[in-house]
Amino acid sequence: QLQLQESGPGLVKPSETLSLTCTVSGGSISGSNHYWGWIRQPPGKGLEWIANIYYSGSTAYNPSLKSRATISVDTSKNQFSLNLRSVTAADTAIFYCARVDLSGVGQYPIWLDPWGQGTLVTVSS
Amino acid sequence: QSALTQPRSVSGSPGQSVTISCTGTSSDVGSYDFVSWYQQHPVKAPKLMIFDVNKRPSGVPDRFSGSKSGNTASLTISGLQAEDEADYYCCSYAGSYTLVFGGGTKLTVL
């Protein structure tokens, strides 16, 4: 059974870089025809898709976060990661990682399952 | 890329049916049959309930169904049960390998 687990600091200072890792168990990132993605949810608010990555390194970003976000993959560790630069209090959120299924034609990212349990990151001095 | 529009809240009594709408544009919902729905209970991760507009993953009750017309997708829950009370989010492929979520709808079972 595929499982995803987020990890990283729970507290980040304003203007610094938020770094998170998602460890995949029960399956191989490189052996899987899926994207892998990050989603965030500010406290009491809705979900926001951040970015996807394919095991080959192909990426896609939310246009509103593209200038500050970098998603990467380490197939040797079966992990993928997110860096979000120049954070402010508005970036405080629960961050989730998820496997992203692909459409047959076009190989578009289309739905997310399963999800990690999420990790709360607070931006504060 | 703007968030898809969902009603903030809906409610229904046990046994009734409720429908949650999700309105996008011709660049997302209207152009692709790649709408998914997620259920989120408090302090839990979202759970996939519907994919490809109207398909149910294994284990999701057939009380949950999805549909789409034009730029609006819908999730219908029939035979409401207390455990259906949760937040529901729609999500659509939005072109250029990107995804967009709706703002979320809080379902209250009266």
Side-chain angles (χ1 to χ4, degrees):
Chain A
Q1 178 184 351
L2 191 77
Q3 292 186 318
L4 293 85
Q5 178 69 57
E6 306 88 352
S7 60
L11 181 65
V12 180
K13 290 183 169 55
S15 80
E16 295 190 344
T17 296
L18 178 162
S19 296
L20 295 172
T21 295
C22 182
T23 301
V24 178
S25 59
S28 169
I29 284 181
S30 57
S32 172
N33 189 33
H34 292 89
Y35 276 97
W36 304 87
W38 287 98
I39 306 95
R40 70 178 181 177
Q41 183 172 37
K45 297 188 177 180
L47 300 170
E48 181 180 34
W49 171 76
I50 302 171
N52 292 335
I53 190 165
Y54 197 61
Y55 75 89
S56 63
S58 176
T59 59
Y61 292 93
N62 185 321
S64 69
L65 294 168
K66 187 173 184 177
S67 63
R68 296 193 295 128
T70 301
I71 189 171
S72 59
V73 64
D74 186 337
T75 55
S76 68
K77 295 181 179 179
N78 223 30
Q79 296 175 334
F80 61 103
S81 299
L82 175 72
N83 281 350
L84 188 64
R85 296 175 292 279
S86 304
V87 297
T88 70
D91 293 308
T92 293
I94 297 172
F95 285 77
Y96 296 99
C97 59
R99 187 182 67 177
V100 187
D101 218 272
L102 305 183
S103 63
V105 176
Q107 298 280 278
Y108 305 135
I110 53 176
W111 43 268
L112 303 99
D113 181 66
W115 296 56
Q117 66 184 27
T119 187
L120 174 63
V121 180
T122 301
V123 179
S124 175
S125 55
Chain B
Q1 188 186 65
S2 298
L4 307 176
T5 300
Q6 298 181 232
R8 284 229 169 193
S9 63
V10 297
S11 62
S13 299
Q16 289 186 332
S17 294
V18 294
T19 296
I20 300 171
S21 62
C22 169
T23 301
T25 70
S26 58
S27 297
D28 39 61
V29 175
S31 286
Y32 308 97
D33 288 336
F34 297 137
V35 176
S36 53
W37 289 90
Y38 302 85
Q39 176 191 65
Q40 186 180 35
H41 286 111
V43 298
K44 293 287 192 181
K47 174 188 175 183
L48 177 68
M49 303 300 284
I50 295 286
F51 66 97
D52 290 356
V53 175
N54 56 15
K55 297 182 175 65
R56 281 187 312 276
S58 173
V60 172
D62 59 6
R63 302 185 294 102
F64 291 83
S65 62
S67 62
K68 192 189 88 165
S69 177
N71 294 339
T72 298
S74 299
L75 172 71
T76 298
I77 309 170
S78 57
L80 267 180
Q81 299 181 4
E83 62 259 36
D84 299 333
E85 184 162 296
D87 293 327
Y88 291 85
Y89 293 91
C90 61
C91 179
S92 174
Y93 178 65
S96 301
Y97 297 88
T98 66
L99 294 167
V100 61
F101 280 97
T105 299
K106 181 177 179 59
L107 168 62
T108 300
V109 180
L110 301 171

Short mmCIF file of all heavy atoms in Angstrom, two decimals, chain B residues 8-37:
data_model
loop_
_atom_site.label_atom_id
_atom_site.label_comp_id
_atom_site.label_asym_id
_atom_site.label_seq_id
_atom_site.Cartn_x
_atom_site.Cartn_y
_atom_site.Cartn_z
N ARG B 8 -20.14 28.28 -0.30
CA ARG B 8 -19.40 28.16 0.97
C ARG B 8 -19.96 27.02 1.81
O ARG B 8 -19.20 26.34 2.51
CB ARG B 8 -19.51 29.46 1.75
CG ARG B 8 -18.65 30.57 1.24
CD ARG B 8 -17.89 31.19 2.38
NE ARG B 8 -16.85 32.08 1.94
CZ ARG B 8 -15.92 32.54 2.73
NH1 ARG B 8 -15.90 32.19 4.00
NH2 ARG B 8 -14.99 33.36 2.28
N SER B 9 -21.27 26.84 1.78
CA SER B 9 -21.88 25.83 2.62
C SER B 9 -23.16 25.29 2.00
O SER B 9 -23.82 25.99 1.21
CB SER B 9 -22.19 26.40 4.01
OG SER B 9 -23.14 27.44 3.91
N VAL B 10 -23.45 24.05 2.31
CA VAL B 10 -24.72 23.41 1.96
C VAL B 10 -25.13 22.57 3.16
O VAL B 10 -24.29 22.22 4.01
CB VAL B 10 -24.62 22.51 0.70
CG1 VAL B 10 -24.25 23.35 -0.52
CG2 VAL B 10 -23.65 21.38 0.91
N SER B 11 -26.39 22.23 3.23
CA SER B 11 -26.85 21.39 4.33
C SER B 11 -28.01 20.52 3.88
O SER B 11 -28.69 20.81 2.89
CB SER B 11 -27.27 22.27 5.52
OG SER B 11 -28.35 23.10 5.16
N GLY B 12 -28.22 19.46 4.63
CA GLY B 12 -29.32 18.55 4.35
C GLY B 12 -29.56 17.64 5.53
O GLY B 12 -28.67 17.47 6.38
N SER B 13 -30.72 17.06 5.58
CA SER B 13 -31.07 16.15 6.66
C SER B 13 -30.68 14.73 6.28
O SER B 13 -30.55 14.41 5.09
CB SER B 13 -32.57 16.22 6.94
OG SER B 13 -32.94 17.52 7.34
N PRO B 14 -30.50 13.88 7.26
CA PRO B 14 -30.17 12.48 6.96
C PRO B 14 -31.20 11.88 6.00
O PRO B 14 -32.41 12.09 6.15
CB PRO B 14 -30.21 11.81 8.34
CG PRO B 14 -29.88 12.91 9.29
CD PRO B 14 -30.50 14.14 8.71
N GLY B 15 -30.68 11.16 5.01
CA GLY B 15 -31.53 10.52 4.03
C GLY B 15 -31.81 11.37 2.80
O GLY B 15 -32.20 10.84 1.76
N GLN B 16 -31.64 12.68 2.93
CA GLN B 16 -31.86 13.56 1.79
C GLN B 16 -30.67 13.55 0.84
O GLN B 16 -29.65 12.92 1.10
CB GLN B 16 -32.11 15.00 2.27
CG GLN B 16 -33.45 15.19 2.95
CD GLN B 16 -33.70 16.66 3.28
OE1 GLN B 16 -32.76 17.45 3.49
NE2 GLN B 16 -34.97 17.04 3.35
N SER B 17 -30.81 14.28 -0.27
CA SER B 17 -29.73 14.45 -1.23
C SER B 17 -29.29 15.90 -1.25
O SER B 17 -30.12 16.80 -1.08
CB SER B 17 -30.17 14.05 -2.65
OG SER B 17 -30.45 12.68 -2.73
N VAL B 18 -28.00 16.11 -1.47
CA VAL B 18 -27.47 17.46 -1.64
C VAL B 18 -26.56 17.47 -2.86
O VAL B 18 -25.96 16.45 -3.20
CB VAL B 18 -26.69 17.97 -0.41
CG1 VAL B 18 -27.59 18.12 0.79
CG2 VAL B 18 -25.51 17.08 -0.11
N THR B 19 -26.48 18.63 -3.48
CA THR B 19 -25.60 18.79 -4.64
C THR B 19 -24.71 20.00 -4.41
O THR B 19 -25.17 21.06 -4.00
CB THR B 19 -26.40 18.99 -5.93
OG1 THR B 19 -27.17 17.81 -6.19
CG2 THR B 19 -25.48 19.26 -7.11
N ILE B 20 -23.42 19.80 -4.66
CA ILE B 20 -22.43 20.87 -4.53
C ILE B 20 -21.93 21.22 -5.93
O ILE B 20 -21.48 20.33 -6.66
CB ILE B 20 -21.25 20.42 -3.64
CG1 ILE B 20 -21.75 20.06 -2.25
CG2 ILE B 20 -20.19 21.51 -3.58
CD1 ILE B 20 -20.70 19.40 -1.36
N SER B 21 -22.01 22.49 -6.27
CA SER B 21 -21.57 22.91 -7.60
C SER B 21 -20.13 23.41 -7.57
O SER B 21 -19.61 23.80 -6.52
CB SER B 21 -22.49 24.01 -8.13
OG SER B 21 -22.43 25.15 -7.29
N CYS B 22 -19.52 23.39 -8.73
CA CYS B 22 -18.12 23.80 -8.90
C CYS B 22 -18.01 24.46 -10.27
O CYS B 22 -18.03 23.77 -11.29
CB CYS B 22 -17.24 22.57 -8.79
SG CYS B 22 -15.51 22.80 -9.27
N THR B 23 -17.92 25.77 -10.26
CA THR B 23 -17.94 26.51 -11.53
C THR B 23 -16.56 27.02 -11.89
O THR B 23 -15.91 27.70 -11.09
CB THR B 23 -18.92 27.68 -11.46
OG1 THR B 23 -20.23 27.18 -11.16
CG2 THR B 23 -18.96 28.43 -12.79
N GLY B 24 -16.14 26.67 -13.08
CA GLY B 24 -14.86 27.13 -13.58
C GLY B 24 -15.04 27.94 -14.85
O GLY B 24 -16.00 28.71 -14.97
N THR B 25 -14.12 27.74 -15.78
CA THR B 25 -14.15 28.49 -17.04
C THR B 25 -13.92 27.55 -18.21
O THR B 25 -13.71 26.34 -18.02
CB THR B 25 -13.05 29.56 -17.05
OG1 THR B 25 -11.77 28.92 -17.13
CG2 THR B 25 -13.09 30.44 -15.81
N SER B 26 -13.92 28.10 -19.38
CA SER B 26 -13.66 27.29 -20.58
C SER B 26 -12.19 26.87 -20.66
O SER B 26 -11.81 26.10 -21.54
CB SER B 26 -14.03 28.09 -21.83
OG SER B 26 -13.31 29.30 -21.89
N SER B 27 -11.36 27.38 -19.75
CA SER B 27 -9.94 27.00 -19.72
C SER B 27 -9.67 25.81 -18.80
O SER B 27 -8.58 25.24 -18.83
CB SER B 27 -9.08 28.18 -19.26
OG SER B 27 -9.16 29.26 -20.16
N ASP B 28 -10.64 25.48 -17.97
CA ASP B 28 -10.43 24.35 -17.06
C ASP B 28 -11.60 23.37 -17.11
O ASP B 28 -11.63 22.50 -17.95
CB ASP B 28 -10.14 24.83 -15.63
CG ASP B 28 -10.96 26.05 -15.20
OD1 ASP B 28 -12.19 25.93 -15.17
OD2 ASP B 28 -10.37 27.10 -14.89
N VAL B 29 -12.60 23.57 -16.25
CA VAL B 29 -13.71 22.62 -16.19
C VAL B 29 -14.37 22.43 -17.55
O VAL B 29 -14.71 21.30 -17.95
CB VAL B 29 -14.76 23.07 -15.15
CG1 VAL B 29 -15.99 22.16 -15.18
CG2 VAL B 29 -14.15 23.11 -13.75
N GLY B 30 -14.55 23.52 -18.27
CA GLY B 30 -15.25 23.45 -19.54
C GLY B 30 -14.50 22.76 -20.66
O GLY B 30 -15.10 22.33 -21.65
N SER B 31 -13.18 22.64 -20.51
CA SER B 31 -12.37 22.09 -21.60
C SER B 31 -11.94 20.64 -21.39
O SER B 31 -11.52 19.99 -22.35
CB SER B 31 -11.11 22.94 -21.79
OG SER B 31 -11.40 24.16 -22.42
N TYR B 32 -12.02 20.17 -20.16
CA TYR B 32 -11.49 18.83 -19.87
C TYR B 32 -12.44 18.05 -18.97
O TYR B 32 -13.04 18.61 -18.04
CB TYR B 32 -10.13 18.93 -19.16
CG TYR B 32 -9.12 19.80 -19.87
CD1 TYR B 32 -8.92 21.13 -19.49
CD2 TYR B 32 -8.35 19.30 -20.93
CE1 TYR B 32 -8.00 21.93 -20.13
CE2 TYR B 32 -7.43 20.10 -21.58
CZ TYR B 32 -7.27 21.41 -21.17
OH TYR B 32 -6.35 22.21 -21.81
N ASP B 33 -12.53 16.77 -19.23
CA ASP B 33 -13.32 15.89 -18.35
C ASP B 33 -12.43 15.33 -17.26
O ASP B 33 -12.39 14.12 -17.01
CB ASP B 33 -13.96 14.77 -19.17
CG ASP B 33 -15.10 15.27 -20.04
OD1 ASP B 33 -15.70 16.32 -19.71
OD2 ASP B 33 -15.40 14.61 -21.06
N PHE B 34 -11.69 16.22 -16.61
CA PHE B 34 -10.74 15.82 -15.57
C PHE B 34 -11.04 16.58 -14.28
O PHE B 34 -10.19 17.27 -13.73
CB PHE B 34 -9.30 16.10 -16.04
CG PHE B 34 -8.89 15.31 -17.25
CD1 PHE B 34 -8.19 15.93 -18.28
CD2 PHE B 34 -9.22 13.98 -17.37
CE1 PHE B 34 -7.80 15.20 -19.41
CE2 PHE B 34 -8.85 13.24 -18.49
CZ PHE B 34 -8.14 13.86 -19.52
N VAL B 35 -12.28 16.42 -13.80
CA VAL B 35 -12.68 17.02 -12.54
C VAL B 35 -12.66 15.93 -11.46
O VAL B 35 -13.15 14.81 -11.69
CB VAL B 35 -14.09 17.62 -12.62
CG1 VAL B 35 -14.53 18.16 -11.26
CG2 VAL B 35 -14.13 18.74 -13.67
N SER B 36 -12.09 16.26 -10.33
CA SER B 36 -12.07 15.34 -9.19
C SER B 36 -12.64 16.04 -7.97
O SER B 36 -12.70 17.27 -7.91
CB SER B 36 -10.65 14.83 -8.92
OG SER B 36 -9.74 15.91 -8.79
N TRP B 37 -13.11 15.25 -7.01
CA TRP B 37 -13.70 15.76 -5.78
C TRP B 37 -13.03 15.09 -4.58
O TRP B 37 -12.74 13.89 -4.60
CB TRP B 37 -15.20 15.46 -5.75
CG TRP B 37 -16.01 16.27 -6.71
CD1 TRP B 37 -16.31 15.95 -8.01
CD2 TRP B 37 -16.63 17.54 -6.46
NE1 TRP B 37 -17.08 16.94 -8.58
CE2 TRP B 37 -17.29 17.91 -7.65
CE3 TRP B 37 -16.70 18.39 -5.35
CZ2 TRP B 37 -18.01 19.11 -7.75
CZ3 TRP B 37 -17.41 19.56 -5.45
CH2 TRP B 37 -18.06 19.92 -6.64
#
